[in-house]
Amino acid sequence: MKKGYYILSFLLLWTTLLFADPKFTAIASKSEVAVGEQFEVDFSLDGGGEHFIPPDFRGFQVLSGPNPSTSMTSINGVTTYNTTYGYIVTATKEGTLTIDAAAIVSAGHTLTTNSLKIKVKGQFTQAQQQAQQQQGIQPAASAPADDAQPATQDLSKQLFIRAEVDKSNVYVGEQITLDYKLYTRVGILASQPDKAPDLNGFWNQDVVNKDQQHPVWKTEMYKGLKYNTVVIKQTVLFPEHAGDLIIDPFAITFLAQIQLPSRNMLDDMYGNVKNVKYQAKSTPLTIHVNPLPEAGKPANFSGAVGDFAVYADADKRELKANETLNYTFEITGKGNLNLINAPKLNPPVDFEKYDPKTDDHITVDATGVSGSRKYSYLLIPRHQGDYTLNSVDFSYFNPATKRYVTLPSKAFSIKVNKGDVQVNVPAFNSADQQDIKMLGNDIRYIKVSSPGLYKEGDGFYNSPLFYVLLLLGPTLFAGAFFYRSWLTQYNSDAVLVKSRLANKIAAKHLAAAQKELTTGNKQAFYEAIAKGLFGYLSDKLNIPAADLNRENIADKMKAKSLDGTLIRKLEDTMDMCEMARFAPSTSIAQQEVFENAKNIINEIEDKI
């Protein structure tokens, strides 16, 4: 079995060489060294090759090398191979020295690397050598034959995850780009996310990689060593409140393949490897969030933070009474666009205004959230005349300048002509519901024709129907009064109202998830499931969005006397969603996740 595995790996390696477009590069662990200081020079090939021709290393002494090694990395089902020829060298004289290009034959073509410029200045002292050894860099005399091969007991220095942010001192609402980057010097056969960070205190949105099945690997120097790196998760964060907020670790369990020393000729040909299960976890990050300044804050400021511009337009400058007018107000720029509320529009009193329609064109990428949000208002003038749609002021805080900015939109003059005289529509003043007017038929003409004659008692007056209808009005008024009082009392508690409506809102998210399930869009499906579950639990259990985490949810469910089986079922479903979102290669059944989420909501509705 073991021999067959090596043969299969060998065949896969050569298949990659035949069909890939290899790159042959040279990289040094340091660009500035002292005379006598040891450093690494690696010649790396994407795939494999033969007839390696090293440079002559003029001005340098080769202490070890060439040390060939082959690594295999598999992330999300994509496997890559890399062959490296490593050297440990030391400079023998001062000056700017050049390491010429190396050459190799791959897939029938001769490839050459780039040359390297090394600046050599001063002598390497004994104290510097001791400090280098304390950092884990051993002299070449005691180094193993292949310096690129890691020790099993020190895998943490060969495979780890780093959380990186573009800024750590921000204002409330200022966007932060968070990257989780994987660093590895060993082969990776498989990976499984253990726990996604909770990101409590942040509004967050993941950056969706359009080519998620083909991650972009790069070679990077870190603390004097060369690593293969890839960004495994990108998120844009917006702090929701001031203070020191903690970004929790992101943990992944890997199946790593490490190189062991060769024991015989077969190991020299195919390599001696060992598979090790290892959990890598990023270190927590602290973000210092400053409150927005009170000085200079505009009265109409509603929380927009970033850099924006506004544009307003009315589709008509002249129209008839009772015709529709479309007024649009668009906000473009970079910042917390998803959290911006509709601006306050105050049209003339003779205009009816309807709630705006929101149209988003927002992009979330590695640079942050940018795009536009447009609000479309439907206005209906009820009387003829000349009117003015006043400008709308939009205020935001710019963290780059640390100042508030107020942008006025353009004002529009609107001419309203007389409408159709047959139209008989009451117009309501939107401000105080007074000044009710009748359009058309303002004057009722006196009827001059003689009325018909009838006998006393034959008419409608004093008939039973007359008294029934006479009492019907007060009865309906009293019923409406008591119903309105009951309805006001019924909706007075906002928490209970949200709890009652939680099931309907969750049903909309589940319907969206079922649609994405039908179309096969996995990423959108799991996002809809997560929004449905977390939104439902937030409303049903009265948990603010900033405090919505697994511990608070479990405590609230226990306080509602919900059994532990249901809580565990909910946690398992959340874990399945997280694993599916951050590990697209997993074999989790989408239909099972959908049915679990629906059953959990139904069980909670039955018991609360």
Side-chain angles (χ1 to χ4, degrees):
M1 288 294 292
K2 191 171 184 180
K3 183 176 180 181
Y5 171 77
Y6 290 141
I7 294 174
L8 177 61
S9 300
F10 181 77
L11 293 176
L12 289 174
L13 175 62
W14 280 101
T15 302
T16 303
L17 291 176
L18 290 174
F19 294 99
D21 184 15
K23 294 181 180 179
F24 194 31
T25 57
I27 187 170
S29 61
K30 297 180 180 180
S31 59
E32 294 186 10
V33 297
V35 175
E37 181 179 359
Q38 299 180 19
F39 64 98
E40 297 181 22
V41 178
D42 290 334
F43 301 95
S44 181
L45 175 66
D46 293 340
E50 57 184 356
H51 304 306
F52 172 70
I53 304 175
D56 57 9
F57 289 103
R58 290 191 302 271
F60 297 91
Q61 179 183 0
V62 177
L63 303 178
S64 175
N67 302 314
S69 64
T70 302
S71 63
M72 178 178 66
T73 301
S74 177
I75 297 291
N76 292 336
V78 179
T79 302
T80 58
Y81 299 88
N82 181 272
T83 302
T84 301
Y85 297 87
Y87 288 84
I88 299 178
V89 301
T90 181
T92 59
K93 62 180 181 179
E94 294 190 54
T96 302
L97 306 181
T98 301
I99 299 176
D100 294 330
I104 198 171
V105 177
S106 177
H109 300 280
T110 301
L111 305 177
T112 58
T113 67
N114 52 294
S115 59
L116 299 173
K117 296 287 186 181
I118 306 297
K119 185 178 292 186
V120 184
K121 184 177 181 181
Q123 293 289 329
F124 194 60
T125 64
Q126 185 69 21
Q128 290 175 320
Q129 183 177 359
Q130 292 176 357
Q132 189 181 65
Q133 292 177 4
Q134 290 176 358
Q135 295 176 359
I137 304 176
Q138 301 296 329
S142 61
D146 185 1
D147 185 69
Q149 295 176 353
T152 306
Q153 64 272 21
D154 198 19
L155 195 56
S156 62
K157 294 182 180 180
Q158 310 297 327
L159 177 63
F160 55 89
I161 300 171
R162 292 185 64 209
E164 302 175 353
V165 292
D166 60 342
K167 62 193 80 169
S168 58
N169 194 334
V170 296
Y171 287 95
V172 173
E174 183 179 356
Q175 65 181 2
I176 306 167
T177 302
L178 169 64
D179 291 346
Y180 289 99
K181 186 183 290 187
L182 172 65
Y183 288 73
T184 179
R185 286 166 57 87
V186 299
I188 299 175
L189 301 179
S191 61
Q192 178 65 52
D194 296 334
K195 184 180 185 299
D198 292 330
L199 301 177
N200 292 326
F202 296 94
W203 188 92
N204 63 88
Q205 188 167 359
D206 289 340
V207 176
V208 179
N209 185 1
K210 296 181 180 179
D211 198 14
Q212 190 171 7
Q213 296 298 327
H214 301 280
V216 179
W217 286 89
K218 297 181 179 179
T219 301
E220 184 176 322
M221 297 300 299
Y222 180 71
K223 292 185 177 181
L225 296 177
K226 185 188 72 171
Y227 290 88
N228 291 325
T229 67
V230 66
V231 176
I232 54 179
K233 178 177 171 61
Q234 285 185 311
T235 305
V236 179
L237 309 177
F238 294 92
E240 295 179 324
H241 58 81
D244 289 335
L245 303 182
I246 305 298
I247 296 178
D248 297 327
F250 185 23
I252 300 180
T253 297
F254 295 96
L255 182 62
Q257 185 181 76
I258 64 174
Q259 295 275 353
L260 300 177
S262 299
R263 298 166 299 181
N264 48 47
M265 185 175 65
L266 187 62
D267 287 346
D268 291 336
M269 294 179 59
Y270 301 108
N272 184 19
V273 297
K274 179 181 180 181
N275 296 338
V276 178
K277 190 174 183 180
Y278 173 74
Q279 184 189 59
K281 182 186 296 184
S282 65
T283 57
L285 294 181
T286 300
I287 306 297
H288 180 69
V289 184
N290 302 296
L292 295 176
E294 293 296 328
K297 181 183 290 187
N300 66 336
F301 177 73
S302 61
V305 178
D307 188 11
F308 304 101
V310 297
Y311 170 79
D313 189 28
D315 66 342
K316 298 175 184 177
R317 303 293 192 275
E318 183 176 354
L319 70 163
K320 292 182 180 181
N322 303 309
E323 289 184 349
T324 58
L325 169 67
N326 292 308
Y327 178 85
T328 58
F329 187 88
E330 186 173 12
I331 304 169
T332 60
K334 186 174 182 180
N336 57 348
L337 283 165
N338 290 293
L339 305 178
I340 294 178
N341 297 321
K344 188 176 182 181
L345 177 65
N346 294 316
V349 294
D350 288 339
F351 279 59
E352 281 192 32
K353 180 186 72 173
Y354 293 85
D355 291 337
K357 175 186 175 183
T358 304
D359 185 18
D360 289 338
H361 294 278
I362 298 175
T363 301
V364 183
D365 54 27
T367 62
V369 177
S370 60
S372 66
R373 169 166 282 192
K374 181 167 65 175
Y375 299 94
S376 300
Y377 296 83
L378 180 64
L379 306 177
I380 302 178
R382 292 307 190 186
H383 301 98
Q384 71 178 92
D386 294 327
Y387 301 93
T388 300
L389 289 177
N390 296 324
S391 64
V392 177
D393 291 340
F394 173 72
S395 298
Y396 67 93
F397 179 76
N398 191 330
T401 61
K402 301 180 181 180
R403 294 179 180 273
Y404 290 96
V405 180
T406 299
L407 302 176
S409 67
K410 183 180 178 182
F412 300 96
S413 297
I414 306 297
K415 182 178 181 180
V416 180
N417 300 318
K418 187 176 181 180
D420 189 352
V421 297
Q422 301 298 323
V423 177
N424 186 17
V425 181
F428 297 93
N429 184 322
S430 59
D432 54 11
Q433 299 298 314
Q434 296 177 357
D435 189 24
I436 300 178
K437 301 180 180 180
M438 189 67 66
L439 303 178
N441 299 328
D442 289 333
I443 300 176
R444 302 289 185 178
Y445 293 98
I446 300 175
K447 190 173 183 178
V448 296
S449 60
S450 58
L453 300 177
Y454 60 91
K455 292 183 179 180
E456 185 177 356
D458 290 343
F460 172 70
Y461 182 70
N462 282 336
S463 65
L465 182 59
F466 169 79
Y467 290 105
V468 170
L469 295 179
L470 188 64
L471 295 174
L472 184 61
T475 303
L476 292 177
F477 175 80
F481 176 79
F482 287 111
Y483 173 75
R484 183 176 179 81
S485 299
W486 172 84
L487 187 62
T488 302
Q489 181 66 27
Y490 184 72
N491 294 324
S492 60
D493 191 334
V495 174
L496 291 178
V497 172
K498 290 176 63 177
S499 178
R500 288 195 299 267
L501 297 178
N503 191 28
K504 294 182 179 180
I505 297 175
K508 293 181 179 180
H509 287 293
L510 292 181
Q514 190 170 25
K515 181 179 178 182
E516 300 298 343
L517 176 62
T518 305
T519 58
N521 190 341
K522 293 184 178 180
Q523 183 71 19
F525 168 77
Y526 288 110
E527 287 184 1
I529 289 290
K531 288 181 180 178
L533 275 177
F534 282 104
Y536 172 78
L537 295 170
S538 176
D539 293 340
K540 195 69 178 179
L541 303 178
N542 189 25
I543 304 176
D547 300 330
L548 195 62
N549 54 54
R550 297 164 68 104
E551 291 76 12
N552 289 342
I553 291 173
D555 292 341
K556 287 285 187 178
M557 293 180 70
K558 291 177 182 177
K560 295 288 186 179
S561 299
L562 295 175
D563 56 82
T565 303
L566 180 58
I567 296 175
R568 287 192 297 272
K569 185 178 180 181
L570 173 63
E571 291 176 344
D572 291 342
T573 303
M574 291 179 179
D575 290 339
M576 293 171 72
C577 286
E578 288 180 355
M579 286 191 294
R581 291 175 67 189
F582 303 120
S585 62
T586 56
S587 58
I588 297 175
Q590 294 175 263
Q591 186 64 38
E592 180 185 353
V593 174
F594 179 79
E595 294 296 334
N596 286 347
K598 184 171 66 173
N599 293 336
I600 289 169
I601 292 174
N602 290 336
E603 288 186 37
I604 295 176
E605 285 295 314
D606 292 339
K607 296 178 181 180
I608 298 181

